């Protein structure tokens, strides 16, 4: 510590200079004695000076002070001698009276032990005895006199010399720069205007002489540049903070990645689909068959290949065929055979008909699609109904038939899938054209049918940027926005699905319609993510943003391969999709490129086009999807999983011990009482197998149908015709769909597992028929009334008012069937006309 409170980093300079000059004396070093035999520790201070000490130096010239010394307990100097004078001072001491406290020496005099420990022929060493030991605070020893330099005559020391420490005992002296006052910054100013004003206000403080605020001034220009950079940086910071969470993310790519972590896949929309009907001339069809007749089947080239484009007359909408097709003239318009009937129709839910065509000329097989279409106005002035058009997929190979009354007329019997059953009655009335002309049918079947998807082809287009850089990530963008997403078409699966199902694609299964992406060496495969990609796999992920631009994300040589530097990428893909593809009927009329002798049209509207999932939907649905159970434990879990399959009305599961393990028996009730075919059984088994518990098994079975026997006595009002009331009752209790959208009482979709049949509801339905006066359900004998299961003795069902069913049983009463084992309801009518 310098006199006057100065703090110098070169305080040792004065000591070196004085030592060289030898003009004045000062303290060179200080040692605190650790104690000897009879000498207390830390009570003796050895002070070595730069020059020999003057004669006669004593305790009056030595002072020990401390800033933290307790009041009334100062550390005082008992005696102080040069080391060379210590022996003489100790010899002259009175041995009896010279013992100090605890040492046996007289006051102010050293004792024999001190002489033995510190006496030496050294005039530069001063031995100082203290009356007590100080504390651990810093102390200062000062030597006064004319021969001592004021600065070098004092030095600091500490009584804690025996405390171990890793620090250097040499004090560090530094003069830190003065702390400048920090400017007051309003961090709420994050836009360009606020940052510009803040910078100008700050410059007014630090540079008050600069007062030019002209936009042309260089300083103002620099301020505006920094304000712009600050605005850009603030926006980037806000974006990073917002995109880090699902609830605040605004970019579509961020939302899709967050949702993927919750096992929720965001759909990017879906391209619409439509059934196209081709018309081909006889010459073109015959010439094509002649050219390909001698070639093996695998070498035959289709007339219309997969991917052939079909567009509207103005070119605003473009579709493409999903599979190859070779149209035939015999399939252009196939007459529906009525077996000499004149006024006929195909009823609702019809699944079969007869076509007036040659089996060999048609060449149709199982899985092909027919379009049943009304093409002429039926009699009665109703006009041509363009909604009477329906696609059906053949459930089996057409069967050739022969009419014994018309043996020259070739016939074909066709049957289509139950799911494609007609939703409306189709009039197939025959209209006479004269004595010399054959009759015309109101409706026909068309066989040159092909499925098409929405999307315009873009071929071999370079991406942006085209070349892979040497450093940094490569995240190119497709040059054309609006990449289409479509459900992949699989022929093996499609021929087993209903034709109407083809127009209902699931957007969750849609993938980017990226046909090809190559870098001149490899074709890169499209993947939903890169988590399972090998480090050498050329995989790519497509991520569309909010503006419709498709970004390509490649691997990093850990998950997926990194593109090689210098490679140039080009892409072939389709743009389109969404609700814009849900066009009306008769819009697509041109082949692109044209095919001579072939025309095209879409008799039915396109369907299935869905826009991408909105950001708000993702925020709401993604967390909820994470909470959906992905396993089946209880019986209800298995039943719920089975009911998720389309076409299943209800399911019931039962867990049973089969001898070695537990088996979950899942019983399903299909809509419309459709049979449990092998295809549905396989789909349900595959679905449940991924959810079942380990060590168990799953079996899928159909319900147990219980036929009913019901006989009611009905009194008809006098003014009603008894036969008309009977017809209405039979229709009301039928299994059919009734006019107006209602269902018969025993319609299969009205009945399911363990659903009792109540007598009161049966009587109420009968009483609701116009003309019914009263209904008697009192069971016989001797009366004819019945309310029970068919084929078994009654179990008091009429008395209890219900027919109770088991948990795997479904009631059945097909009173129109000739087999009473399917259930019967009969009516005994009295009264009326």
């Amino acid at each position: 510590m310098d006199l006057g409170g100065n703090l110098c980093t070169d305080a040792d300079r004065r000591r070196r200079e004085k030592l060289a000059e030898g003009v004045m004396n000062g303290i060179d070093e200080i040692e605190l004695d650790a104690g000897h035999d009879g000498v207390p520790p830390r009570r003796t201070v050895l002070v070595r000076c730069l020059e020999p000490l003057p004669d006669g130096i004593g305790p009056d010239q030595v002072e020990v002070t401390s800033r933290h010394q307790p009041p009334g307990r100062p550390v005082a100097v008992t005696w102080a001698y040069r080391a060379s004078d210590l022996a003489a001072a100790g010899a002259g001491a009175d041995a009896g009276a010279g013992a100090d406290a605890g040492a046996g020496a007289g006051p102010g005099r050293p004792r024999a032990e001190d002489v033995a420990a510190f006496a030496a022929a050294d005039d530069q060493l001063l031995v100082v005895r203290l009356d007590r030991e100080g504390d651990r605070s810093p102390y200062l020893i000062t030597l006064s006199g004319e021969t001592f330099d004021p600065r070098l005559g004092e030095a600091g020391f500490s009584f804690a010399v025996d405390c171990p420490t890793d620090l250097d005992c040499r004090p560090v002296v530094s003069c830190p720069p003065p702390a400048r006052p920090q400017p007051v910054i309003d961090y709420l100013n994050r836009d360009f205007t606020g940052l510009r004003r803040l910078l100008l206000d700050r410059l007014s403080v630090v540079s008050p002489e600069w007062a030019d605020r002209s936009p042309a001034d260089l300083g103002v220009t620099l301020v505006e540049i920094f304000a712009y950079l600050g605005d850009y940086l603030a926006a980037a910071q806000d974006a990073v903070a917002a995109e880090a969470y699902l609830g605040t993310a605004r970019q579509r790519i961020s939302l899709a990645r967050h949702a993927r972590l919750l096992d929720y896949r965001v759909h990017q929309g879906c391209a619409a689909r439509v059934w196209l009907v081709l018309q081909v001339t006889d010459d073109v069809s015959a010439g094509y068959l002649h050219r390909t007749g001698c070639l093996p089947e695998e070498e035959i080239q289709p007339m219309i290949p997969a991917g052939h484009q079909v567009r509207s007359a103005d070119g605003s909408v473009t579709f493409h065929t999903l599979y190859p097709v070779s149209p035939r003239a015999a399939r252009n318009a196939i007459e529906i055979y009525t077996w000499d009937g004149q006024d006929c129709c195909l009823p609702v839910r019809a699944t079969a008909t007869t076509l007036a065509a040659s089996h060999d000329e048609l060449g149709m097989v199982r899985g092909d699609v027919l379009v049943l279409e009304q093409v002429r106005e039926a009699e009665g002035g109703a006009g041509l109904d363009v909604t009477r058009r329906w696609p059906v997929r053949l459930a089996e190979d057409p069967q050739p038939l022969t009419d014994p009354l018309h043996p020259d007329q070739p016939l074909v019997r066709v049957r289509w899938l139950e799911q494609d059953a007609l939703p409306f009655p189709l009039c197939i009335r025959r209209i006479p054209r004269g004595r010399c002309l054959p009759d015309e049918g109101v409706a026909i079947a068309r066989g040159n049918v092909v499925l098409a998807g929405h999307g315009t082809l873009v071929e071999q287009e370079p991406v942006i940027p085209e070349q892979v850089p040497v450093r940094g990530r490569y995240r190119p963008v497709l040059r054309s926005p609006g990449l289409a997403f479509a459900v992949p078409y699989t022929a093996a699966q499609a021929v087993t699905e209903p034709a109407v199902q083809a127009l209902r694609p699931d957007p969750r299964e849609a993938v980017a319609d990226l046909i090809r992406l190559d870098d001149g060496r490899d074709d890169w495969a499209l993947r939903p993510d890169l988590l399972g990609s090998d480090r050498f796999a050329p995989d790519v992920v497509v991520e569309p943003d909010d503006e419709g631009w498709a970004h390509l994300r490649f691997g990093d040589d850990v998950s997926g391969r990194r593109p090689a530097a210098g490679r140039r990428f080009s892409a072939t893909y389709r743009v389109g999709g969404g609700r814009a593809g849900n066009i009306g009927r008769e819009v697509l009329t041109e082949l692109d490129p044209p095919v001579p002798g072939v025309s095209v049209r879409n008799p039915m509207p396109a369907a299935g086009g869905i826009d991408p999932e909105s950001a708000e939907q993702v925020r709401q649905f993604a967390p909820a999807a994470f909470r959906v159970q992905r396993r089946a434990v209880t019986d209800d879990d298995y039943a719920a999983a089975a009911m998720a399959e389309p076409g299943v009305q209800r399911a019931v599961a039962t867990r049973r011990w089969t001898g070695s393990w537990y088996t979950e028996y899942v019983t399903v009730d299909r809509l419309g009482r459709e049979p449990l075919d092998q295809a549905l059984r396989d789909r349900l088994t595959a679905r449940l197998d991924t959810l079942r518990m380990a060590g168990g098994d799953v079996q899928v079975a159909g319900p147990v149908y219980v036929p009913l026997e019901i006989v009611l006595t009905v009194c008809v009002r006098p003014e009603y015709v008894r036969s008309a009331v009977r017809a209405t009752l039979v229709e009301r209790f039928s299994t059919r769909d009734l006019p107006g959208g209602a269902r018969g009482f025993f319609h299969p979709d009205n009945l399911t597992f363990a659903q009792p049949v109540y007598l009161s509801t049966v009587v109420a339905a009968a009483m609701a028929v116009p003309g019914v006066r009263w209904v008697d359900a009192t069971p016989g004998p001797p009366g004819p009334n019945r309310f029970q299961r068919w084929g078994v003795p009654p179990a008091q069902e009429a008395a209890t008012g219900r027919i109770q069913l088991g948990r795997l049983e479904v009631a059945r009463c097909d009173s129109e069937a000739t087999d009473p084992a399917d259930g019967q309801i009969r009516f005994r009518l009295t009264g009326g006309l």
Side-chain angles (χ1 to χ4, degrees):
M1 181 180 294
D2 198 358
L3 293 176
N6 297 335
L7 187 63
C8 303
T9 59
D10 58 348
D12 196 47
R13 177 182 177 184
R14 183 179 179 90
R15 187 186 67 81
R16 294 194 305 268
E17 292 179 352
K18 293 301 180 181
L19 181 62
E21 296 176 359
V23 177
M24 300 192 72
N25 205 350
I27 298 176
D28 186 17
E29 61 182 24
I30 297 176
E31 180 181 357
L32 194 64
D33 182 56
H36 294 79
D37 185 20
V39 180
R42 291 181 293 277
R43 293 276 297 277
T44 305
V45 181
L46 304 179
V47 182
R48 180 166 296 280
C49 297
L50 298 174
E51 299 291 338
L53 294 168
D55 296 336
I57 188 172
D60 297 337
Q61 297 175 268
V62 181
E63 183 181 10
V64 177
T65 59
S66 173
R67 190 167 32 175
H68 306 289
Q69 183 170 316
R73 292 192 60 194
V75 178
V77 178
T78 303
W79 50 260
Y81 294 100
R82 291 186 305 186
S84 57
D85 300 337
L86 192 62
D94 185 15
D100 59 353
R109 296 289 183 176
R111 45 178 272 180
E113 289 82 355
D114 296 326
V115 174
F118 308 114
D122 190 349
D123 293 339
Q124 294 181 251
L125 180 63
L126 180 65
V127 181
V128 180
R129 172 60 54 84
L130 305 178
D131 65 340
R132 61 176 52 87
E133 177 186 349
D135 54 22
R136 305 302 184 187
S137 62
Y139 281 81
L140 186 69
I141 186 170
T142 305
L143 303 181
S144 58
E146 296 180 357
T147 60
F148 289 96
D149 182 73
R151 172 65 183 86
L152 300 179
E154 62 181 12
F157 72 98
S158 174
F159 286 96
V161 294
D162 56 347
C163 297
T165 179
D166 294 334
L167 302 178
D168 193 352
C169 60
R170 181 184 180 90
V172 179
V173 180
S174 62
C175 295
R180 297 182 179 180
Q182 295 295 324
V184 179
I185 299 177
D186 185 5
Y187 289 96
L188 297 179
N189 287 326
R190 301 171 62 86
D191 58 347
F192 173 81
T193 303
L195 292 173
R196 181 179 182 274
R197 183 177 65 252
L198 184 66
L199 290 173
L200 291 177
D201 293 344
R202 180 61 181 169
L203 289 174
S204 299
V205 176
V206 299
S207 299
E209 65 278 2
W210 177 61
D212 193 351
R213 296 296 183 268
S214 172
D217 183 72
L218 179 60
V220 175
T221 301
L222 292 176
V223 167
E224 293 179 348
I225 290 176
F226 285 117
Y228 164 77
L229 294 176
D231 189 355
Y232 186 85
L233 179 60
Q237 290 175 336
D238 292 342
V240 170
E243 300 303 317
Y245 303 96
L246 177 64
T248 58
R250 293 172 291 181
Q251 296 185 9
R252 185 170 190 83
I253 296 178
S254 301
L255 287 171
R257 292 180 180 178
H258 284 304
R260 188 69 180 89
L261 296 176
L262 298 177
D263 201 20
Y264 179 83
R265 193 178 300 277
V266 177
H267 77 75
Q268 309 296 344
C270 187
R273 288 179 172 181
V274 67
W275 286 110
L276 301 177
V277 171
L278 302 175
Q279 192 84 6
V280 60
T281 62
D282 294 340
D283 296 337
V284 173
S285 178
Y288 171 77
L289 294 175
H290 176 73
R291 290 195 306 273
T292 60
C294 59
L295 295 176
E297 184 177 354
E298 61 272 9
E299 297 183 12
I300 296 178
Q301 299 297 322
M303 185 181 299
I304 306 295
H308 199 100
Q309 296 195 138
V310 182
R311 60 184 179 86
S312 60
D314 58 0
S316 60
V317 182
T318 302
F319 279 67
H320 61 280
T321 58
L322 297 181
Y323 52 88
V325 61
S326 298
R328 298 187 181 186
R331 302 178 185 174
N332 287 342
I334 310 172
E335 293 289 340
I336 300 176
Y337 195 64
T338 61
W339 301 87
D340 291 337
Q342 194 72 24
D343 189 6
C344 305
C345 75
L346 290 178
V348 177
R349 300 193 64 81
T351 59
T353 190
T354 304
L355 304 179
S358 171
H359 179 271
D360 295 335
E361 291 180 358
L362 287 182
M364 302 188 72
V365 295
R366 174 181 175 272
D368 288 345
V369 176
L370 289 173
V371 171
L372 305 178
E373 177 182 2
Q374 180 180 338
V375 295
R376 295 176 181 86
E377 178 181 353
E379 293 184 359
L384 178 61
D385 190 350
V386 295
T387 64
R388 291 297 192 258
R389 300 168 181 177
W390 189 252
V392 295
R393 190 180 297 277
L394 299 184
E396 59 186 25
D397 294 340
Q399 302 296 324
L401 296 177
T402 302
D403 186 353
L405 301 181
H406 304 280
D408 295 335
Q409 174 64 57
L411 302 176
V412 175
R413 179 70 172 176
V414 293
R415 187 179 67 85
W416 51 86
L417 297 176
E418 296 286 346
Q419 296 88 335
D420 287 332
L422 287 179
F424 49 79
L426 180 65
C427 179
I428 56 174
R429 184 186 187 90
R430 305 296 296 179
I431 300 177
R433 294 193 299 168
R435 298 180 59 183
C436 300
L437 297 175
D439 297 343
E440 289 183 340
V442 172
I444 61 174
R446 302 191 184 275
N448 294 322
V449 182
V450 61
L451 187 64
H454 185 210
T456 304
L457 182 65
V458 179
E459 291 188 276
Q460 291 297 315
E461 184 180 65
V463 300
I464 304 174
E466 179 183 3
Q467 187 172 5
V468 181
V470 178
R471 296 182 180 87
R473 293 183 176 180
Y474 182 54
R475 295 290 176 84
V477 181
L478 296 183
R479 192 175 296 270
S480 299
L483 175 66
F485 280 75
V487 176
Y489 178 83
T490 306
Q493 179 182 355
V495 295
T496 62
E497 294 180 347
V500 294
Q501 186 65 30
L503 302 183
R504 303 167 185 167
D506 185 359
R508 303 289 174 188
E509 300 178 0
V511 299
D513 205 347
L514 183 64
I515 302 174
R516 184 181 182 188
L517 178 68
D518 68 279
D519 59 357
R521 185 184 66 179
D522 298 317
D523 289 340
W524 292 71
L526 183 66
R527 294 288 183 268
D529 53 61
L530 300 175
L531 298 177
S533 298
D534 185 77
R535 57 178 299 190
F536 301 109
D539 295 340
V540 63
V541 176
V542 176
E543 297 178 321
D545 61 15
D546 300 271
E547 304 299 328
W549 297 98
H551 300 254
L552 304 180
R553 179 164 57 89
F554 298 93
D556 54 359
D557 286 341
V558 177
S559 297
R561 185 203 300 178
R562 185 194 302 271
R567 291 286 179 180
R568 297 180 179 272
F569 277 84
S570 61
T572 300
Y573 55 97
R574 288 188 176 91
V575 295
R579 291 187 299 174
N582 295 334
I583 58 174
R585 56 181 60 89
E586 309 296 349
V587 174
L588 303 174
T589 57
E590 297 183 3
L591 291 168
D592 183 22
V595 178
V598 180
S599 60
V600 66
R601 54 186 280 265
N602 63 305
M604 295 164 292
I610 300 176
D611 288 338
E613 193 171 5
S614 66
E616 189 59 32
Q617 287 177 325
V618 176
R619 294 191 185 95
Q620 293 182 6
F621 294 162
F626 179 69
R627 292 191 290 267
V628 174
Q629 183 168 290
R630 301 294 183 182
R631 65 187 183 278
V633 180
T634 65
D635 293 342
D636 292 340
D637 296 339
Y638 284 93
M643 285 189 289
E645 180 71 20
V648 175
Q649 178 181 207
R650 191 181 173 193
V652 176
T654 306
R655 190 168 185 244
R656 297 174 183 171
W657 177 257
T658 56
S660 298
W661 54 77
Y662 282 101
T663 300
E664 198 75 28
Y665 289 89
V666 181
T667 307
V668 296
D669 179 20
R670 299 189 64 181
L671 290 172
R673 203 188 295 149
E674 297 293 337
L676 182 61
D677 53 13
Q678 190 61 39
L680 178 61
R681 191 188 303 271
D682 293 341
R683 289 199 303 271
L684 284 173
T685 303
R687 177 193 293 268
L688 298 175
D689 191 61
T690 61
L691 305 177
R692 65 177 176 84
M693 299 293 290
D697 198 3
V698 176
Q699 295 290 334
V700 179
V704 177
Y705 290 106
V706 176
L708 307 181
E709 183 181 7
I710 302 176
V711 179
L712 300 177
T713 301
V714 179
C715 180
V716 181
R717 293 182 181 275
E719 66 271 19
Y720 282 83
V721 178
R722 191 163 45 244
S723 60
V725 174
R726 182 186 296 275
T728 306
L729 285 170
V730 170
E731 183 182 51
R732 181 66 59 88
F733 286 91
S734 68
T735 60
R736 302 189 303 270
D737 292 316
L738 305 181
R743 294 173 176 172
F745 186 88
F746 290 108
H747 192 282
D749 295 344
N750 291 339
L751 305 171
T752 186
F753 293 109
Q755 180 178 339
V757 179
Y758 292 95
L759 179 59
S760 59
T761 59
V762 174
V763 173
M767 288 292 296
V769 174
V772 175
R773 186 174 185 179
W774 50 262
V775 176
D776 181 17
T778 304
N785 297 337
R786 298 285 188 275
F787 186 72
Q788 63 188 53
R789 296 189 179 208
W790 178 87
V792 297
Q796 300 297 320
E797 291 92 345
T800 59
R802 64 180 178 180
I803 301 177
Q804 188 66 43
L805 299 176
R807 61 188 306 269
L808 300 182
E809 295 179 333
V810 179
R812 182 172 185 174
C813 191
D814 301 345
S815 56
E816 295 182 80
T818 58
D819 187 0
D822 291 337
Q824 290 284 335
I825 180 171
R826 299 189 303 273
F827 303 97
R828 179 176 175 271
L829 273 62
T830 61
L833 299 176

